[in-house]
Amino acid sequence: MRLAILITRKSQLPDFEGTIRAAAARGHEVLLILDTRLRGGPKTNQAPDEASLPPRFRPWLWKVREVRDGRFETFVSVQGEVIYDKADVVLYAYAPGFSLRRWGDRPVARLQCDWSTLMMLSPQEVTNLTRVYGWTDYWVRWWADWNGADPTLLQERFVAVGMPLAEQTTWIDPAEVRWTLDLPDGQRFILYLPFPAQALKWGWWTHGIYDRAWPLVATERAVARRVREWCDQQGLAMIVKEREKHRARPWLRALADRVIGDEPWEPTVLRLLLSGQAAGLVHHLSTACVDAAVAGVWADCVAPWPPSRIPPYARRLGMPDFE
């Protein structure tokens, strides 16, 4: 069988690594299609390219194709690649702007990598899919509630496979992580994920209060200072994990022992939590709590009160299971 996997962001590759390894081990051919539309834009560092692909993937791949289309008709180009290379199955996670459709009898499937890759899947797109591989069956009802759709629309295509990123625990080497990220040997740490204010739509409570330096108010600066104090009391280092789209602010850098950014193609948060030196995770309403669960590390969620006033989170907090 020839399996085509479409990657639209470098951060998606870790979720597909287990599939790629297993397909190659079974003698299947893996065609990796890289959508390069992000080049030249604000997320250019997430644009996948063949030149920077980790060398470990080479033995498992039959072929790598880069798709370039200046007219934003990428899926037409992808379709052409799939037909030209005679792929039997197409698998992807998130492909914004694609006019998805079935191509004859060729199956097209989607993989859930996180909250948004499933919940933002439109009912119309579901009808064009052969399979949807998700974390657990609970997500079918959550998807239906979120999209106001009939749950049977997704249920008849849904296959629960667990969290794909969890497979990384099989091959992530703690010693390699410590060496690559230059972590002091034996120094345990708290991993702190900043509130992603720069990536969220402006809100009075989130940006006017929590993201500012108000006295006598539990702003993020006050929270981060308490984390710093607790780390000092416990003999722990404080490592801040920043992202390309929202960098750590100068005041937060001054509190941290280390600030670590994204590793291209790698699940940096999970790698840090599996380094053997992570004592805990502090985050703001982040699905990184799942990474912590996979790594066996405790996680504390800091929710700026009241979270229902945070526009990106308000609607999902109206769903009892998420609340």
Side-chain angles (χ1 to χ4, degrees):
M1 184 184 74
R2 186 167 295 167
L3 169 64
I5 295 179
L6 173 62
I7 300 291
T8 60
R9 284 160 171 73
K10 289 181 178 179
S11 58
Q12 295 172 358
L13 188 61
D15 290 280
F16 288 101
E17 184 168 353
T19 301
I20 293 172
R21 286 175 180 250
R26 295 177 184 181
H28 301 310
E29 294 175 329
V30 180
L31 167 64
L32 192 65
I33 302 177
L34 306 177
D35 172 13
T36 63
R37 280 184 299 166
L38 292 179
R39 287 182 183 173
K43 297 182 180 180
T44 189
N45 288 339
Q46 273 293 317
D49 64 291
E50 184 178 0
S52 68
L53 195 68
R56 69 176 182 274
F57 283 88
R58 295 293 178 180
W60 308 321
L61 299 174
W62 172 69
K63 191 176 292 184
V64 180
R65 296 281 196 189
E66 287 189 4
V67 174
R68 298 184 181 89
D69 196 322
R71 296 172 300 164
F72 297 96
E73 296 176 357
T74 305
F75 208 73
V76 176
S77 301
V78 171
Q79 183 183 12
E81 294 288 357
V82 169
I83 294 174
Y84 177 81
D85 287 314
K86 300 179 179 178
D88 298 303
V89 181
V90 180
L91 179 63
Y92 76 105
Y94 175 67
F98 289 169
S99 179
L100 184 62
R101 56 190 178 277
R102 289 186 181 178
W103 308 317
D105 296 328
R106 183 179 291 109
V108 179
R110 179 157 170 155
L111 178 71
Q112 179 187 4
C113 297
D114 52 26
W115 189 91
S116 60
T117 51
L118 182 71
M119 302 300 278
M120 298 304 180
L121 176 62
S122 70
Q124 181 180 5
E125 189 172 353
V126 171
T127 61
N128 293 320
L129 292 170
T130 309
R131 290 286 184 272
V132 176
Y133 298 104
W135 290 2
T136 66
D137 290 322
Y138 289 103
W139 288 85
V140 173
R141 179 167 55 82
W142 293 340
W143 173 86
D145 290 345
W146 181 264
N147 288 277
D150 183 351
T152 59
L153 180 65
L154 179 61
Q155 184 65 65
E156 61 186 13
R157 299 169 174 83
F158 191 86
V159 179
V161 296
M163 180 187 176
L165 200 62
E167 294 182 291
Q168 292 277 337
T169 60
T170 305
W171 51 79
I172 288 180
D173 179 9
E176 180 275 325
V177 174
R178 293 192 295 268
W179 182 85
T180 301
L181 298 179
D182 194 25
L183 302 178
D185 189 42
Q187 176 61 65
R188 292 178 62 76
F189 62 86
I190 293 295
L191 184 60
Y192 181 86
L193 306 184
F195 182 70
Q198 302 100 308
L200 298 178
K201 183 179 179 181
W202 196 94
W204 176 79
W205 186 264
T206 53
H207 297 74
I209 301 295
Y210 192 67
D211 193 44
R212 299 294 180 88
W214 294 99
L216 306 178
V217 177
T219 63
E220 185 182 9
R221 301 185 190 213
V223 170
R225 284 196 298 268
R226 291 297 297 271
V227 173
R228 173 75 268 179
E229 293 170 3
W230 190 80
C231 287
D232 292 338
Q233 293 170 4
Q234 302 297 321
L236 301 171
M238 179 179 174
I239 293 181
V240 171
K241 167 63 176 62
E242 66 176 2
R243 299 178 67 183
E244 184 69 28
K245 61 183 179 181
H246 44 86
R247 297 290 192 180
R249 306 293 180 83
W251 61 264
L252 184 55
R253 289 179 175 274
L255 291 174
D257 294 291
R258 287 281 307 282
V259 176
I260 295 178
D262 291 320
E263 300 172 277
W265 303 105
E266 304 291 353
T268 307
V269 170
L270 182 60
R271 281 165 54 80
L272 283 165
L273 295 173
L274 289 171
S275 67
Q277 296 181 182
L281 170 72
V282 177
H283 65 98
H284 293 80
L285 300 168
S286 171
T287 51
C289 60
V290 179
D291 296 57
V294 168
V297 175
W298 63 258
D300 274 356
C301 176
V302 180
W305 184 89
S308 58
R309 294 186 183 178
I310 307 175
Y313 303 104
R315 186 177 168 199
R316 75 179 75 173
L317 286 172
M319 302 171 63
D321 289 314
F322 284 101
E323 186 174 3

